[in-house]
Amino acid sequence: MSRSPDDKVRRWIRPEVRALTAYHVPDPGDAIKLDAMENPYPWPEALVDEWLDVLRRVSLNRYPDPAARRLKAALQEAMGVPEGMELLLGNGSDELIQMLALAVAGPERVILAPEPSFVMYRLIAAVAGLRYVGVPLQADFALDSEAMLAAIASHQPALVFLAYPNNPTGNLFDATAMRAVIEASPGLVVVDEAYAAFARDSFMEALAEHDNLLVLRTVSKMGLAGLRLGLLAGAPAWLEEIDKTRLPYNINVLTQASAEFALAHRAVLDEQTAAIRRDRESLFQALAALPGLQVYPSEANFILFRTPPGRAAALFEGLRERGILIKYLSGAGGALADCLRVTVGTPEENRAFLDALAGLLAA
Ligand SMILES: *Cc1c(COP(=O)(O)O)cnc(C)c1O
């Protein structure tokens, strides 16, 4: 008699879940980590002591404030959330994407997003039991307005995600094309501004102009990826409903206390993100000067580049062997064939990456 659970797994785990590939995060070992859009800078030593003093006073035996009122007020101010709009917090913005999907899920319901974009939109749609429709971007990764409007008309999506700037391409879509999508959409449009700290533009101010617009932000890419804290801004009528899909106490006491502390010392994060924006420009110039690469302009803290045909895998592996981990995107082929993505690190990390890549390209 076999004791393997395979038959029962096949019988009971939903087919759409079995068909998924789990989100894969490689073990970085002690490599220079330029794969996940993290801020490379730690907190100043003096602030670490002050932060630990705050944590010392946190009551671990008590449940957190389920509404995280103090933290929300601090975020409202720090993120420039307009008057009359409210916030919903998530354990990372990933959790908010899942809450949004759960709130609108149903037979024949559709989530729509341009492609390539953030992979979690597709993954979460599948897990929540929604149909996913991806609309290809143009060759230069601009939004294809005509194709988007046609897909919206025919699929009537419950939820549209627009990452602004887009991941993994790094560009801001044309704001007029974005507004056309928002106006043509029968359901919710979520503008995902994970990289707002690095970009010239935002839709936060536009919230009051559209009754179907929500803006998603996170503290991850601005320097607090370990905290797991995202926020969804928008009209209370939407947020009150989406809040019902939230598990109580989703933002733990350590995250609440740490995020409040970090926001009270926001100048540190602002300096770090300003340095990353400057270093992004030098990294862009240096990459563009290497032979054979097509480098895409970025409004985020990463840069997408296309290698000479057929070389992306070997370049990625070569960098790994030299202790530098970036992101390999060529696997899916299509628009990202031959593409790699590098996160902007410290000037020393960027230099090590560029030297290694230059060596590999010359080999
Ligand atoms: C990184 C990223 C997120 C997820 O961020 P978390 O808050 O860390 O879950 C969401 N959207 C986009 C476009 C991202 O690149």
Side-chain angles (χ1 to χ4, degrees):
M1 204 177 71
S2 159
R3 285 181 185 276
S4 158
D6 289 356
D7 290 346
K8 285 177 181 147
V9 169
R10 256 192 304 279
R11 178 171 174 201
W12 292 109
I13 300 295
R14 282 154 49 210
E16 58 271 34
V17 172
R18 279 190 282 124
L20 292 174
T21 312
Y23 188 77
H24 173 68
V25 180
D27 176 4
D30 45 22
I32 295 179
K33 203 170 174 307
L34 301 177
D35 64 327
M37 282 76 95
E38 291 145 328
N39 171 343
Y41 299 106
W43 281 74
E45 206 51 50
L47 278 182
V48 170
D49 286 337
E50 229 182 287
W51 166 60
L52 290 175
D53 278 340
V54 169
L55 292 188
R56 210 165 268 132
R57 292 191 295 274
V58 169
S59 301
L60 280 177
N61 57 321
R62 302 289 178 197
Y63 281 110
D65 171 4
R69 278 164 295 225
R70 271 206 318 270
L71 175 54
K72 270 190 195 167
L75 282 167
Q76 198 114 16
E77 208 238 302
M79 300 280 177
V81 178
E83 203 66 37
M85 298 298 157
E86 279 179 19
L87 287 184
L88 196 55
L89 304 189
N91 188 2
S93 48
D94 288 343
E95 189 186 39
L96 289 161
I97 297 169
Q98 186 177 59
M99 284 159 56
L100 282 156
L102 290 173
V104 302
E108 301 307 309
R109 290 287 179 96
V110 166
I111 290 185
L112 184 145
E115 291 227 318
S117 190
F118 188 44
V119 294
M120 292 306 288
Y121 307 146
R122 175 193 284 274
L123 198 71
I124 288 173
V127 169
L130 287 104
R131 201 152 65 78
Y132 175 84
V133 174
V135 180
L137 292 170
Q138 300 185 57
D140 62 354
F141 300 130
L143 208 55
D144 185 338
S145 294
E146 221 172 286
M148 284 294 286
L149 297 183
I152 287 165
S154 71
H155 296 288
Q156 297 286 301
L159 202 47
V160 175
F161 284 101
L162 295 168
Y164 190 76
N166 190 36
N167 172 12
T169 57
N171 56 318
L172 283 176
F173 297 136
D174 178 73
T176 308
M178 297 263 296
R179 283 174 198 275
V181 166
I182 297 166
E183 270 151 35
S185 291
L188 272 171
V189 177
V190 177
V191 176
D192 181 348
E193 297 188 341
Y195 301 95
F198 309 99
R200 272 177 295 122
D201 194 31
S202 162
F203 273 73
M204 195 63 97
E205 285 297 328
L207 277 175
E209 297 160 36
H210 307 276
D211 66 3
N212 61 339
L213 174 64
L214 298 175
V215 173
L216 185 63
R217 294 264 182 105
T218 173
V219 302
S220 294
K221 312 299 161 52
M222 60 191 254
L224 302 167
L227 279 188
R228 309 305 300 131
L229 179 66
L231 51 139
L232 184 66
W238 284 116
L239 298 192
E240 276 161 25
E241 296 302 325
I242 298 159
D243 189 40
K244 296 173 187 172
T245 68
R246 183 175 63 88
L247 296 176
Y249 314 119
N250 63 330
I251 312 299
N252 72 69
V253 283
L254 298 176
T255 295
Q256 291 195 28
S258 301
E260 282 172 36
F261 176 82
L263 291 172
H265 298 87
R266 205 155 60 86
V268 175
L269 294 175
D270 290 344
E271 270 171 44
Q272 293 177 345
T273 50
I276 293 166
R277 281 198 304 273
R278 284 194 300 273
D279 293 337
R280 173 183 71 201
E281 300 319 312
S282 344
L283 181 58
F284 179 90
Q285 298 301 336
L287 272 173
L290 290 178
L293 300 185
Q294 184 179 4
V295 189
Y296 293 92
S298 170
E299 293 268 345
N301 64 339
F302 60 84
I303 295 176
L304 180 78
F305 60 99
R306 202 180 294 274
T307 70
R311 293 192 64 186
L315 289 169
F316 171 77
E317 284 305 330
L319 287 166
R320 263 223 97 149
E321 283 160 20
R322 285 159 183 74
I324 296 156
L325 180 62
I326 66 169
K327 180 81 175 178
Y328 177 71
L329 294 166
S330 187
L336 295 176
D338 303 311
C339 281
L340 298 172
R341 185 190 68 198
V342 62
T343 303
V344 182
T346 65
E348 296 72 30
E349 291 172 336
N350 300 338
R351 178 44 49 204
F353 157 73
L354 286 164
D355 288 348
L357 182 61
L360 289 163
L361 281 167

